[in-house]
Every structure is written in structure tokens, then in C-alpha cells.
Coordinates of all heavy atoms in Angstrom, one line a residue:
M1 N 0.1 -21.6 4.2 CA -1.3 -21.3 4.1 C -1.7 -20.3 5.2 O -1.4 -20.4 6.4 CB -2.1 -22.6 4.3 CG -3.6 -22.4 4.2 SD -4.4 -23.9 3.9 CE -5.3 -24.1 5.4
E2 N -2.3 -19.2 4.8 CA -2.7 -18.1 5.7 C -4.0 -18.4 6.4 O -5.0 -18.8 5.7 CB -2.8 -16.8 4.9 CG -1.5 -16.3 4.4 CD -1.6 -15.0 3.7 OE1 -2.6 -14.3 3.8 OE2 -0.6 -14.6 3.1
E3 N -4.1 -18.1 7.7 CA -5.3 -18.2 8.4 C -6.1 -16.9 8.0 O -5.5 -15.8 7.8 CB -5.1 -18.2 9.9 CG -4.6 -19.5 10.4 CD -4.4 -19.4 11.9 OE1 -5.4 -19.0 12.6 OE2 -3.4 -19.7 12.4
S4 N -7.4 -16.9 8.1 CA -8.2 -15.8 7.9 C -7.9 -14.7 9.0 O -7.8 -15.0 10.2 CB -9.7 -16.1 8.0 OG -10.5 -15.0 7.8
G5 N -7.6 -13.5 8.6 CA -7.3 -12.4 9.5 C -5.8 -12.3 9.7 O -5.4 -11.4 10.5
F6 N -5.0 -13.1 9.1 CA -3.5 -13.1 9.3 C -2.8 -13.0 8.0 O -3.4 -13.5 7.0 CB -3.0 -14.3 10.1 CG -3.4 -14.2 11.6 CD1 -4.5 -14.8 12.0 CD2 -2.6 -13.6 12.5 CE1 -4.9 -14.8 13.3 CE2 -2.9 -13.6 13.8 CZ -4.1 -14.2 14.2
T7 N -1.7 -12.5 7.9 CA -0.8 -12.5 6.7 C 0.6 -12.6 7.2 O 0.9 -12.5 8.4 CB -1.0 -11.2 5.9 OG1 -0.3 -11.3 4.7 CG2 -0.6 -9.9 6.7
E8 N 1.5 -12.8 6.3 CA 2.9 -12.8 6.6 C 3.5 -11.5 6.1 O 3.2 -11.0 5.0 CB 3.6 -14.0 5.9 CG 3.2 -15.3 6.5 CD 3.9 -16.5 5.9 OE1 4.6 -16.3 4.8 OE2 3.8 -17.5 6.5
R9 N 4.4 -10.9 7.0 CA 5.0 -9.6 6.7 C 6.5 -9.7 7.0 O 6.9 -10.5 7.9 CB 4.5 -8.5 7.6 CG 3.0 -8.2 7.4 CD 2.8 -7.4 6.2 NE 1.3 -7.3 5.9 CZ 0.6 -6.3 6.3 NH1 1.0 -5.3 6.9 NH2 -0.7 -6.3 5.9
W10 N 7.3 -9.0 6.2 CA 8.7 -8.9 6.5 C 9.0 -8.0 7.6 O 8.5 -6.9 7.6 CB 9.5 -8.5 5.2 CG 11.0 -8.3 5.5 CD1 11.7 -7.2 5.7 CD2 11.9 -9.4 5.5 NE1 13.0 -7.5 5.8 CE2 13.2 -8.8 5.8 CE3 11.8 -10.8 5.4 CZ2 14.3 -9.6 5.9 CZ3 13.0 -11.5 5.6 CH2 14.2 -10.9 5.8
L11 N 9.8 -8.4 8.6 CA 10.1 -7.5 9.8 C 11.6 -7.2 9.7 O 12.4 -8.1 9.8 CB 9.7 -8.2 11.1 CG 10.1 -7.5 12.4 CD1 9.4 -6.2 12.5 CD2 9.9 -8.4 13.6
E12 N 11.9 -5.9 9.5 CA 13.3 -5.5 9.5 C 13.7 -5.3 11.0 O 13.1 -4.5 11.7 CB 13.4 -4.2 8.8 CG 14.9 -3.7 8.6 CD 15.7 -4.7 7.9 OE1 15.3 -5.2 6.8 OE2 16.8 -5.0 8.4
T13 N 14.7 -6.1 11.4 CA 15.1 -6.0 12.8 C 16.0 -4.9 13.2 O 16.2 -4.6 14.4 CB 15.7 -7.4 13.2 OG1 16.9 -7.6 12.4 CG2 14.7 -8.5 13.1
G14 N 16.7 -4.3 12.2 CA 17.6 -3.2 12.5 C 19.0 -3.7 12.6 O 20.0 -3.0 12.3
S15 N 19.2 -4.9 13.1 CA 20.6 -5.4 13.2 C 20.4 -6.9 12.9 O 19.5 -7.6 13.4 CB 21.2 -5.2 14.5 OG 20.5 -5.9 15.5
G16 N 21.3 -7.4 12.1 CA 21.2 -8.8 11.7 C 20.1 -9.0 10.6 O 19.5 -8.1 10.2
P17 N 19.8 -10.3 10.3 CA 18.8 -10.5 9.3 C 17.4 -10.2 9.8 O 17.1 -10.4 11.0 CB 19.0 -12.0 9.0 CG 19.6 -12.6 10.2 CD 20.4 -11.5 10.8
G18 N 16.5 -9.9 8.9 CA 15.1 -9.7 9.2 C 14.4 -11.0 9.3 O 15.1 -12.1 9.3
A19 N 13.1 -11.0 9.4 CA 12.4 -12.2 9.5 C 11.0 -12.0 9.0 O 10.5 -10.9 8.9 CB 12.3 -12.7 11.0
V20 N 10.4 -13.1 8.5 CA 9.0 -13.1 8.1 C 8.2 -13.5 9.4 O 8.5 -14.5 10.0 CB 8.7 -14.1 7.0 CG1 7.3 -14.2 6.7 CG2 9.5 -13.7 5.8
V21 N 7.2 -12.7 9.7 CA 6.4 -12.9 10.9 C 4.9 -12.9 10.5 O 4.5 -12.3 9.5 CB 6.7 -11.8 12.0 CG1 8.1 -11.9 12.5 CG2 6.3 -10.4 11.4
R22 N 4.1 -13.6 11.4 CA 2.7 -13.5 11.2 C 2.2 -12.2 11.7 O 2.6 -11.8 12.8 CB 2.0 -14.7 12.0 CG 1.4 -15.7 11.2 CD 1.0 -16.9 12.0 NE 0.1 -16.5 13.1 CZ -1.1 -17.1 13.3 NH1 -1.4 -18.1 12.7 NH2 -1.8 -16.7 14.3
A23 N 1.2 -11.6 11.0 CA 0.7 -10.3 11.4 C -0.8 -10.4 11.2 O -1.3 -10.9 10.3 CB 1.3 -9.2 10.6
R24 N -1.5 -9.8 12.2 CA -3.0 -9.8 12.1 C -3.3 -8.6 11.2 O -2.8 -7.5 11.3 CB -3.6 -9.5 13.5 CG -5.1 -9.5 13.5 CD -5.7 -9.3 14.9 NE -5.4 -10.4 15.7 CZ -6.0 -11.6 15.8 NH1 -7.0 -11.8 15.0 NH2 -5.7 -12.5 16.6
V25 N -4.3 -8.9 10.3 CA -4.8 -7.8 9.4 C -6.0 -7.2 10.0 O -7.0 -7.9 10.3 CB -5.1 -8.5 8.0 CG1 -5.7 -7.4 7.1 CG2 -3.9 -9.1 7.4
T26 N -6.0 -5.9 10.2 CA -7.1 -5.2 10.8 C -7.9 -4.5 9.7 O -7.4 -4.3 8.6 CB -6.6 -4.2 11.9 OG1 -5.9 -3.2 11.2 CG2 -5.8 -4.9 13.0
Q27 N -9.0 -4.0 10.0 CA -9.8 -3.2 9.1 C -9.0 -1.9 8.7 O -9.1 -1.5 7.5 CB -11.2 -2.8 9.6 CG -12.1 -4.0 9.7 CD -13.5 -3.6 10.2 OE1 -13.6 -2.6 10.8 NE2 -14.4 -4.5 10.0
V28 N -8.3 -1.4 9.6 CA -7.5 -0.2 9.3 C -6.4 -0.6 8.2 O -6.2 0.1 7.2 CB -6.8 0.4 10.5 CG1 -5.8 1.5 10.2 CG2 -7.8 0.9 11.5
N29 N -5.7 -1.7 8.4 CA -4.7 -2.1 7.5 C -5.4 -2.3 6.1 O -4.8 -2.0 5.1 CB -4.1 -3.4 7.9 CG -3.2 -3.3 9.1 OD1 -3.0 -2.2 9.6 ND2 -2.6 -4.4 9.6
Q30 N -6.5 -2.9 6.1 CA -7.2 -3.2 4.8 C -7.6 -1.9 4.1 O -7.5 -1.8 2.9 CB -8.4 -4.1 5.1 CG -8.1 -5.5 5.5 CD -9.3 -6.3 5.9 OE1 -10.4 -5.8 6.1 NE2 -9.1 -7.6 6.1
A31 N -8.0 -0.9 4.9 CA -8.4 0.4 4.3 C -7.1 1.0 3.7 O -7.2 1.6 2.6 CB -9.0 1.3 5.3
V32 N -6.0 1.0 4.4 CA -4.8 1.6 3.9 C -4.3 0.8 2.6 O -4.0 1.5 1.6 CB -3.7 1.6 5.0 CG1 -2.3 2.0 4.4 CG2 -4.1 2.5 6.1
Q33 N -4.4 -0.5 2.7 CA -3.9 -1.3 1.5 C -4.8 -1.1 0.3 O -4.3 -1.0 -0.8 CB -3.9 -2.7 1.9 CG -2.7 -3.1 2.9 CD -2.7 -4.5 3.3 OE1 -3.5 -5.3 2.9 NE2 -1.8 -4.8 4.2
A34 N -6.1 -1.0 0.5 CA -7.1 -0.7 -0.6 C -6.8 0.6 -1.2 O -6.8 0.8 -2.4 CB -8.5 -0.9 -0.1
A35 N -6.6 1.6 -0.4 CA -6.4 3.0 -0.9 C -5.0 3.0 -1.7 O -5.0 3.6 -2.8 CB -6.3 4.0 0.2
Y36 N -4.0 2.4 -1.1 CA -2.7 2.4 -1.8 C -2.8 1.6 -3.1 O -2.3 2.0 -4.2 CB -1.7 1.7 -1.0 CG -0.3 1.7 -1.6 CD1 0.4 2.9 -1.7 CD2 0.2 0.6 -2.1 CE1 1.7 3.0 -2.3 CE2 1.5 0.6 -2.8 CZ 2.2 1.8 -2.9 OH 3.4 1.8 -3.5
R37 N -3.6 0.5 -3.1 CA -3.7 -0.3 -4.3 C -4.5 0.5 -5.4 O -4.1 0.4 -6.6 CB -4.5 -1.6 -4.0 CG -4.9 -2.5 -5.2 CD -3.8 -2.8 -6.1 NE -2.8 -3.7 -5.5 CZ -1.6 -4.0 -6.1 NH1 -1.3 -3.5 -7.3 NH2 -0.8 -4.7 -5.5
A38 N -5.5 1.2 -5.0 CA -6.2 2.1 -6.0 C -5.3 3.1 -6.6 O -5.3 3.3 -7.9 CB -7.4 2.8 -5.3
W39 N -4.4 3.7 -5.8 CA -3.5 4.7 -6.3 C -2.5 4.0 -7.2 O -2.2 4.5 -8.4 CB -2.8 5.4 -5.2 CG -1.6 6.3 -5.7 CD1 -1.8 7.5 -6.3 CD2 -0.3 5.9 -5.8 NE1 -0.5 8.0 -6.6 CE2 0.4 7.0 -6.4 CE3 0.5 4.8 -5.4 CZ2 1.8 7.0 -6.6 CZ3 1.8 4.8 -5.6 CH2 2.5 5.9 -6.2
L40 N -1.9 2.9 -6.8 CA -0.9 2.2 -7.6 C -1.4 1.6 -8.9 O -0.8 1.7 -9.9 CB -0.3 1.0 -6.7 CG 0.8 0.2 -7.3 CD1 2.0 1.2 -7.6 CD2 1.2 -0.9 -6.5
D41 N -2.7 1.1 -8.9 CA -3.3 0.6 -10.1 C -3.4 1.7 -11.1 O -3.1 1.6 -12.3 CB -4.6 0.0 -9.8 CG -4.5 -1.4 -9.1 OD1 -3.4 -2.0 -9.1 OD2 -5.6 -1.9 -8.7
H42 N -3.8 2.9 -10.6 CA -4.0 4.0 -11.5 C -2.6 4.5 -12.0 O -2.4 4.7 -13.2 CB -4.7 5.2 -10.9 CG -4.5 6.5 -11.7 ND1 -5.3 6.7 -12.8 CD2 -3.7 7.5 -11.6 CE1 -4.9 7.8 -13.4 NE2 -3.9 8.3 -12.6
A43 N -1.6 4.7 -11.1 CA -0.3 5.2 -11.4 C 0.4 4.3 -12.4 O 1.2 4.9 -13.3 CB 0.5 5.4 -10.2
T44 N 0.2 3.0 -12.4 CA 0.9 2.2 -13.3 C 0.3 2.1 -14.7 O 0.9 1.7 -15.7 CB 1.1 0.7 -12.8 OG1 -0.2 0.2 -12.5 CG2 2.0 0.7 -11.5
S45 N -0.9 2.6 -14.8 CA -1.6 2.5 -16.1 C -1.8 3.9 -16.7 O -2.1 4.0 -17.9 CB -3.0 1.9 -16.0 OG -3.8 2.7 -15.2
C46 N -1.5 5.0 -16.0 CA -1.7 6.3 -16.5 C -0.4 6.8 -17.1 O 0.7 6.9 -16.5 CB -2.1 7.2 -15.3 SG -2.1 9.0 -15.7
P47 N -0.4 7.3 -18.4 CA 0.8 7.8 -19.0 C 1.4 9.0 -18.3 O 2.6 9.1 -18.2 CB 0.3 8.2 -20.4 CG -1.0 7.5 -20.6 CD -1.6 7.3 -19.3
T48 N 0.6 9.9 -17.8 CA 1.1 11.1 -17.0 C 1.9 10.6 -15.8 O 3.0 11.1 -15.5 CB 0.0 12.0 -16.6 OG1 -0.7 12.4 -17.8 CG2 0.5 13.2 -15.9
C49 N 1.3 9.7 -15.0 CA 1.9 9.2 -13.8 C 3.2 8.5 -14.1 O 4.2 8.6 -13.4 CB 1.0 8.4 -13.0 SG -0.4 9.3 -12.3
R50 N 3.2 7.6 -15.1 CA 4.3 6.8 -15.5 C 5.5 7.7 -15.9 O 6.7 7.3 -15.7 CB 4.0 5.8 -16.6 CG 3.2 4.7 -16.1 CD 3.3 3.5 -17.1 NE 3.2 3.9 -18.5 CZ 2.2 3.7 -19.3 NH1 1.1 3.1 -18.8 NH2 2.2 4.1 -20.5
E51 N 5.2 8.9 -16.4 CA 6.3 9.8 -16.8 C 6.9 10.6 -15.6 O 7.7 11.4 -15.8 CB 5.8 10.8 -17.8 CG 5.5 10.3 -19.2 CD 4.8 11.3 -20.1 OE1 4.7 12.5 -19.7 OE2 4.4 10.9 -21.2
G52 N 6.3 10.3 -14.4 CA 6.8 11.0 -13.2 C 6.1 12.3 -12.9 O 6.5 13.1 -12.1
S53 N 4.9 12.5 -13.5 CA 4.2 13.7 -13.3 C 2.9 13.5 -12.5 O 1.8 14.1 -12.8 CB 3.9 14.4 -14.6 OG 5.0 14.7 -15.3
A54 N 2.9 12.6 -11.6 CA 1.7 12.2 -10.8 C 1.1 13.4 -10.1 O -0.1 13.5 -9.9 CB 2.0 11.1 -9.8
R55 N 1.9 14.4 -9.7 CA 1.4 15.6 -9.1 C 0.5 16.4 -10.0 O -0.3 17.2 -9.5 CB 2.5 16.4 -8.5 CG 3.2 15.8 -7.4 CD 4.3 16.6 -6.8 NE 5.0 15.9 -5.8 CZ 5.8 16.4 -4.9 NH1 6.0 17.7 -5.0 NH2 6.4 15.7 -4.0
D56 N 0.7 16.2 -11.3 CA -0.1 17.0 -12.3 C -1.4 16.2 -12.7 O -2.2 16.7 -13.5 CB 0.7 17.3 -13.5 CG 1.9 18.2 -13.2 OD1 1.8 19.0 -12.2 OD2 3.0 18.1 -13.8
C57 N -1.5 15.0 -12.3 CA -2.6 14.1 -12.7 C -3.8 14.4 -11.8 O -3.8 14.2 -10.6 CB -2.2 12.6 -12.6 SG -3.5 11.5 -13.1
S58 N -4.9 14.7 -12.4 CA -6.1 15.1 -11.7 C -6.8 13.8 -11.0 O -7.6 13.9 -10.1 CB -7.1 15.8 -12.6 OG -7.5 14.9 -13.6
V59 N -6.4 12.6 -11.5 CA -7.0 11.4 -10.9 C -6.1 10.9 -9.8 O -6.6 10.5 -8.7 CB -7.1 10.3 -12.0 CG1 -7.6 9.0 -11.4 CG2 -8.1 10.7 -13.1
A60 N -4.8 11.0 -10.0 CA -3.9 10.5 -9.0 C -3.9 11.3 -7.7 O -3.7 10.7 -6.6 CB -2.4 10.4 -9.5
R61 N -4.0 12.6 -7.8 CA -4.0 13.4 -6.5 C -5.0 13.0 -5.5 O -4.7 12.8 -4.3 CB -4.1 14.9 -6.9 CG -2.8 15.3 -7.6 CD -2.8 16.8 -7.8 NE -2.7 17.4 -6.5 CZ -2.3 18.6 -6.3 NH1 -2.1 19.4 -7.3 NH2 -2.2 19.1 -5.1
P62 N -6.3 12.9 -5.9 CA -7.3 12.5 -4.9 C -7.1 11.0 -4.4 O -7.4 10.7 -3.2 CB -8.7 12.6 -5.6 CG -8.4 13.2 -6.9 CD -7.0 13.3 -7.1
L63 N -6.6 10.2 -5.2 CA -6.3 8.8 -4.8 C -5.2 8.8 -3.8 O -5.2 8.1 -2.7 CB -5.9 7.9 -6.0 CG -7.0 7.6 -7.0 CD1 -6.4 6.9 -8.2 CD2 -8.1 6.7 -6.3
W64 N -4.1 9.6 -4.0 CA -3.0 9.7 -3.0 C -3.5 10.4 -1.7 O -3.2 9.9 -0.6 CB -1.9 10.5 -3.6 CG -0.7 10.5 -2.7 CD1 -0.3 11.6 -1.9 CD2 0.2 9.5 -2.4 NE1 0.8 11.2 -1.2 CE2 1.1 9.9 -1.5 CE3 0.3 8.1 -2.9 CZ2 2.1 9.1 -1.0 CZ3 1.3 7.3 -2.4 CH2 2.2 7.8 -1.4
D65 N -4.4 11.4 -1.8 CA -4.9 12.0 -0.6 C -5.7 11.0 0.2 O -5.7 11.0 1.4 CB -5.8 13.2 -1.0 CG -4.9 14.4 -1.6 OD1 -3.7 14.4 -1.4 OD2 -5.5 15.3 -2.2
A66 N -6.5 10.2 -0.5 CA -7.3 9.1 0.2 C -6.4 8.1 0.9 O -6.7 7.7 2.0 CB -8.2 8.4 -0.8
Y67 N -5.3 7.8 0.3 CA -4.3 6.9 0.9 C -3.7 7.5 2.1 O -3.6 6.9 3.2 CB -3.2 6.5 -0.1 CG -2.0 5.9 0.5 CD1 -2.1 4.7 1.1 CD2 -0.8 6.5 0.4 CE1 -1.0 4.1 1.7 CE2 0.4 5.9 1.0 CZ 0.2 4.7 1.6 OH 1.4 4.1 2.2
Q68 N -3.3 8.8 2.0 CA -2.7 9.5 3.2 C -3.7 9.6 4.3 O -3.4 9.4 5.5 CB -2.3 10.9 2.8 CG -1.1 10.9 1.8 CD 0.2 10.4 2.5 OE1 0.5 10.8 3.6 NE2 0.9 9.6 1.8
A69 N -5.0 9.9 4.0 CA -6.0 10.0 5.0 C -6.3 8.6 5.7 O -6.7 8.6 6.9 CB -7.3 10.5 4.4
A70 N -6.1 7.5 5.0 CA -6.4 6.2 5.6 C -5.3 5.8 6.5 O -5.6 4.9 7.4 CB -6.5 5.2 4.4
Q71 N -4.1 6.4 6.4 CA -3.0 6.0 7.3 C -3.2 6.4 8.7 O -3.6 7.4 9.1 CB -1.7 6.5 6.8 CG -1.3 5.8 5.6 CD 0.1 6.2 5.1 OE1 0.5 7.3 5.3 NE2 0.7 5.3 4.5

């Protein structure tokens, strides 16, 4: 069960097995995740994006730009 403001994330240690750790969710993380989710939701439902032509999609480009700006 997750506490409010925390989530579990996979941590790659670089050597040996990784681990699942508790991570605090900040407003910055939420903005990045929301922007990525908006792009992903569009990209998975758009025929142009699904064909691998997301750069040619007039909807996907601003969504991706918003994701990049949120990072």
C-alpha cells in the first residue's frame, strides 16, 4: 500500500540486482509524468504515430515538446 506522496520505483544499481525503493513524488515528477502520459495516450491511439511517423503528426509534436519542457 502506497503512502500519499510516495511511490515505488525500480532502482538500477549498475552492478548486481536492482531493487524496488520508495520514492517521494514531487510536483515536478507529476508534471513530467502527466506530460508523458498525454503524449503516450495520443501516440498509442493515433494511426500516424503507431506507424512510426510521430514526427509528422501535428498533435504529437506539441505533446512531446511539452514533455521535454517539463523535464
Side-chain angles (χ1 to χ4, degrees):
M1 182 163 111
E2 292 182 10
E3 286 182 53
S4 178
F6 288 90
T7 188
E8 292 183 345
R9 301 278 170 99
W10 178 256
L11 175 65
E12 185 61 49
T13 60
S15 63
V20 174
V21 296
R22 248 175 53 134
R24 181 177 298 277
V25 177
T26 65
Q27 288 181 343
V28 171
N29 290 358
Q30 291 172 348
V32 171
Q33 290 176 2
Y36 182 74
R37 173 53 65 188
W39 172 80
L40 186 61
D41 287 347
H42 168 77
T44 56
S45 64
C46 172
T48 302
C49 293
R50 284 197 323 249
E51 290 176 5
S53 301
R55 292 180 184 196
D56 298 329
C57 179
S58 63
V59 176
R61 291 188 70 160
L63 290 172
W64 184 256
D65 292 343
Y67 166 64
Q68 293 292 316
Q71 291 185 327

